[in-house]
Amino acid sequence: QVQLVESGGGLVQAGGSLRLSCAASGTIFSINAMAWYRQAPGKQRELVAAVTSSGSTNYQDSVKGRFTISGDNAKNTVYLQMSVLKPEDTAVYYCNAALRAPPLGKLNTYWGQGTQVTVSS
């Protein structure tokens, strides 16, 4: 069974940096794309950044120039390097993967359990 396990969240002061990691485990045929979403209290979950298996990336406008998403295809892992963090970046960050797994190899979406990022002012 496929699982996404996140790590790297925590408490940081404004202007600081954090690096999130998400590893996909289990039997996986292929990964189309991996992404990071976030959800702040009282708000909807929103896309932060995404990367395809070919390396194409896209970012939410508010994080462009501050966050960098990267993937390691060999490790089925995605990273989110966050810099110049702001209090408004405070949220639970969720890893997301679009991948194909047994038994049918159908393209499905999987979610991690979430990791808290808190930025203090």
Side-chain angles (χ1 to χ4, degrees):
Q1 186 167 348
V2 175
Q3 286 188 318
L4 302 183
V5 179
E6 301 129 334
S7 61
L11 173 65
V12 64
Q13 288 189 331
S17 299
L18 280 175
R19 188 192 194 210
L20 304 183
S21 300
C22 171
S25 64
T27 302
I28 297 170
F29 292 153
S30 64
I31 297 178
N32 282 29
M34 297 186 78
W36 289 96
Y37 286 73
R38 67 186 180 188
Q39 188 167 19
K43 295 188 177 181
Q44 289 189 332
R45 191 173 297 189
E46 60 181 9
L47 176 67
V48 177
V51 60
T52 68
S53 58
S54 62
S56 297
T57 59
N58 69 286
Y59 296 90
Q60 180 189 112
D61 285 347
S62 68
V63 307
K64 286 180 180 178
R66 300 189 298 121
F67 291 9
T68 301
I69 190 169
S70 60
D72 185 333
N73 291 339
K75 296 181 179 180
N76 290 338
T77 298
V78 65
Y79 306 96
L80 185 68
Q81 178 67 48
M82 305 184 292
S83 303
V84 195
L85 281 160
K86 304 176 181 180
E88 51 263 44
D89 295 318
T90 295
V92 177
Y93 283 69
Y94 295 91
C95 178
N96 169 279
L99 57 85
R100 299 180 187 276
L104 300 178
K106 181 181 177 182
L107 187 64
N108 278 320
T109 297
Y110 295 81
W111 291 92
Q113 79 284 357
T115 185
Q116 177 71 45
V117 171
T118 302
V119 184
S120 63
S121 57

